[in-house]
Amino acid sequence: MQRHNVGILGCGVISRTYLADIKAFYPRLNVLACADVTAELAKKLAEEFEVERAYTTEELLKDEDIEIVINLTPPRFHVELNKRIIEAGKHVFSEKPFAHSLEQAREVLNLAKEKGVKVGCAPDTFLSSGLQSVRHYLDTGIIGKPFMVTANMMIFGAETWHPNPGFFYEDNCGPVFDMAPYYVSAIVSLLGPVERVVGFGARPNKKRHLYVGDKAGTDIDVNVDTTYTVLLYLRSGVLVNLNLSFDIYKTDLPMFEIFGDCGTISYPDPNFGGGTPKVYRKEQFIDPIFNKTKEAEDRHDKFYELPELFPRVKDYSRGIGVMDLATAIDKKKENRTGENFILHVTEVLCGIRESVSKGQIYEVQTTCERPESLTPGQNIDCL
Ligand SMILES: NC(=O)c1ccc[n+]([C@@H]2O[C@H](COP(=O)([O-])OP(=O)(O)OC[C@H]3O[C@@H](n4cnc5c(N)ncnc54)[C@H](O)[C@@H]3O)[C@@H](O)[C@H]2O)c1
C-alpha cells in the first residue's frame, strides 16, 4: 500500500510521542515536515527526530508534498487551524477537542466535504489493543447484556509534569474537554451513542501552583470547573456515571467497569491504548451456593484476566487514528474517527458543559453508529 507524507503542526509535548510512535510502528506514514508558530521549536523537533523539513505554519500548508497534517496545537487553535489545513487541500487529523460547539464542528466538517478531504480526530485510543479486546468480549456476550458503566478519571492536574499547563485551566478546556473525550469515545465505541446528559461541576481551587517549566513557582488562574460528576443515558438504555477531576491526589475507584446481567468487565484506563481487561462472571457468584468446593470458593471473589486479542504495540501509543485515516484515503472509505463520530462526541462534551451551566438535562440531537471494530489478530498497519 501507498506511503503517505505527513506534516506535524504544533511541536510541543505530545508531538514527541506522535513522532516516536509513528516512526516505530507505522512505516506507511512518512513524517516529512513539522511546523510551529515558534520557528525554533519546529527546528528542535526536526533535529531530534530527523524530520526533513522544519517550517512555519504557512510553509507547511504550501508544501504540495504534504497530504495529511496532524494538528497538535493547544485546544483553542484547533478549529481555526483545521480550517486552514483543509483550505490548503490537505487531510487533517486533529488532537482533541475537535471543537467547542456543534456548529463549529459542522463548519469544519462541511468545509472538508466541500474540499474533498478527510478528517480524523483524537482520541483514537478506542482503536488500540485493550479497548478493541473489550469490544470483542462484550460483543461475544461475555457479561451478557450491559446495563451500566462506571468511569472515573480522577487525577491531579498537569501542572506537576506539563511545561505549559495554562491551557488545561482555560474556560474551553478543563477535564470535560481534555479527559472526557477518551471516556466518551470509548463508551460510544463499545456501547453506542448517548441520548441524554446531566452534570454538575466544582472548582475547589481558584488558582493552581506550577511545579515545572519556565513559570515554575508561580500561580495561574483557574477559569473552568476542575471536578465533575456526570450521568449519561445511552440510546441502548445503558446508564453511565462518569467522574472527572484534576483535583484528586489518590483514589482506589476503578477507572472503567462495565456491568452486564451476566457479569462485569473491568478495564485499566481508556486514556491508554493497552491494558488487560478482566472479567467476573455470574457463574463465579452462583457456584458456591450449590458447589461447596475450595475451587468454587476461590473463584467467588476473583476477576480473571482476559487475553488481549490484537497486536499490542505499546501501552501509550499515538498515531493509530492517523494510520486509520491514511487507510481510509487509500480505500476511499470512511475512517473510524470520521464525521458522525466526531459530531456525536463533540455534542456530548458540549452537552456536559451546557448541562452544568444551565442545571438542566441536555438532550443529545446527533447520533452515530459504533465505529467498525477490528478483527482479532489484525495488524494495525492493515486496518
Ligand atoms: N501533552 C499530552 O500528554 C497530550 C496528550 C494527548 C493529547 N494532547 C493534546 O495535544 C494538543 C497539544 O498538547 P501539548 O501538550 O503538546 O501542548 P504544548 O503546549 O506542549 O504544545 C503545543 C505547541 O503548539 C504550538 N502552537 C501554539 N499555537 C500555535 C499556532 N497557532 N500555530 C502553530 N503552532 C502553535 C506551541 O508553540 C507549542 O509548541 C492539545 O490539544 C492536547 O489536548 C496532549
Side-chain angles (χ1 to χ4, degrees), residues 98 102 105-106 109-110 113 119 188 193 334-348 364-371:
F98 188 73
L102 193 53
R106 282 209 171 99
L109 291 160
N110 288 341
K113 263 193 215 147
V119 177
V188 172
E334 176 81 1
N335 53 311
R336 289 175 170 85
T337 64
E339 181 177 358
N340 292 337
F341 190 75
I342 291 176
L343 285 174
H344 187 64
V345 171
T346 302
E347 191 187 4
V348 173
V364 182
Q365 302 302 311
T366 60
T367 187
C368 67
E369 297 291 322
R370 296 191 304 165

Side-chain angles (χ1 to χ4, degrees), residues 2-295:
Q2 205 183 321
R3 225 169 163 225
H4 293 270
N5 287 333
V6 174
I8 285 187
L9 180 58
C11 301
V13 173
I14 202 63
S15 67
R16 285 161 170 84
T17 313
Y18 269 87
L19 258 162
D21 290 345
I22 286 174
K23 283 192 163 225
F25 304 121
Y26 308 115
R28 288 208 295 117
L29 301 176
N30 176 37
V31 181
L32 187 63
C34 58
D36 198 284
V37 72
T38 309
E40 304 86 75
L41 295 179
K43 275 196 198 116
K44 192 160 175 276
L45 188 74
E47 275 164 21
E48 255 178 68
F49 288 89
E50 296 174 350
V51 176
E52 199 180 297
R53 305 172 193 179
Y55 280 151
T56 62
T57 307
E58 293 68 30
E59 288 166 338
L60 177 72
L61 298 184
K62 268 193 208 144
D63 186 335
E64 290 186 355
D65 294 337
I66 302 292
E67 286 170 82
I68 303 172
V69 174
I70 308 177
N71 183 356
L72 305 179
T73 60
R76 70 176 178 283
F77 301 109
H78 291 174
V79 169
E80 171 207 328
L81 289 172
N82 287 342
K83 279 189 190 165
R84 286 180 61 194
I85 294 164
I86 293 166
E87 288 281 8
K90 301 183 189 307
H91 308 284
V92 59
F93 184 86
S94 175
E95 252 305 332
K96 46 77 190 169
F98 188 73
H100 294 99
S101 75
L102 193 53
E103 295 69 35
Q104 282 179 340
R106 282 209 171 99
E107 255 178 57
V108 179
L109 291 160
N110 288 341
L111 185 65
K113 263 193 215 147
E114 205 182 290
K115 297 283 170 190
V117 295
K118 289 194 182 293
V119 177
C121 185
D124 48 8
T125 33
F126 71 87
L127 292 175
S128 302
S129 162
L131 283 169
Q132 283 295 313
S133 300
V134 173
R135 165 99 178 244
H136 176 82
Y137 288 119
L138 274 182
D139 290 357
T140 55
I142 198 166
I143 59 162
K145 189 171 164 32
F147 61 86
M148 190 179 181
V149 176
T150 185
N152 300 290
M153 174 70 214
M154 317 254 281
I155 56 169
F156 196 71
E159 61 268 33
T160 53
W161 58 271
H162 198 291
N164 300 300
F167 72 79
F168 292 96
Y169 299 104
E170 288 173 5
D171 63 354
N172 56 13
C173 195
V176 168
F177 286 97
D178 182 58
M179 295 314 304
Y182 294 100
Y183 287 76
V184 171
S185 57
I187 287 162
V188 172
S189 137
L190 294 170
L191 297 161
V194 180
E195 188 173 305
R196 258 176 267 160
V197 174
V198 65
F200 300 92
R203 199 176 306 187
N205 297 297
K206 304 270 181 305
K207 290 202 180 284
R208 309 290 293 213
H209 187 72
L210 307 190
Y211 293 91
V212 295
D214 293 346
K215 295 185 187 136
T218 63
D219 290 351
I220 53 167
D221 289 334
V222 176
N223 296 307
V224 67
D225 286 349
T226 47
T227 291
Y228 295 82
T229 189
V230 175
L231 301 177
L232 307 176
Y233 182 78
L234 305 193
R235 286 190 189 274
S236 59
V238 172
L239 313 178
V240 179
N241 74 53
L242 170 63
N243 293 311
L244 305 160
S245 182
F246 285 166
D247 298 301
I248 310 277
Y249 298 107
K250 183 93 184 118
T251 172
D252 281 335
L253 283 172
M255 296 202 85
F256 198 67
E257 287 191 348
I258 306 173
F259 308 106
D261 60 2
C262 292
T264 300
I265 282 193
S266 184
Y267 185 74
D269 184 358
N271 180 17
F272 294 91
T276 306
K278 290 183 193 160
V279 67
Y280 182 93
R281 283 172 49 89
K282 177 183 171 185
E283 290 77 3
Q284 296 169 243
F285 189 79
I286 303 294
D287 259 10
I289 300 170
F290 305 105
N291 194 358
K292 307 246 174 274
T293 62
K294 182 171 178 323
E295 289 77 13

Side-chain angles (χ1 to χ4, degrees), residues 310-378:
F310 298 83
R312 181 172 173 169
V313 283
K314 211 170 83 170
D315 277 347
Y316 193 48
S317 130
R318 302 280 157 179
I320 191 167
V322 189
M323 192 62 244
D324 180 54
L325 180 74
T327 306
I329 295 166
D330 291 340
K331 297 191 173 169
K332 299 189 176 29
K333 62 172 203 170
E334 176 81 1
N335 53 311
R336 289 175 170 85
T337 64
E339 181 177 358
N340 292 337
F341 190 75
I342 291 176
L343 285 174
H344 187 64
V345 171
T346 302
E347 191 187 4
V348 173
L349 303 178
C350 296
I352 296 173
R353 184 181 55 188
E354 190 172 319
S355 168
V356 171
S357 71
K358 291 191 174 163
Q360 290 172 357
I361 292 177
Y362 178 90
E363 304 281 344
V364 182
Q365 302 302 311
T366 60
T367 187
C368 67
E369 297 291 322
R370 296 191 304 165
E372 186 191 344
S373 60
L374 309 187
T375 310
Q378 197 175 2

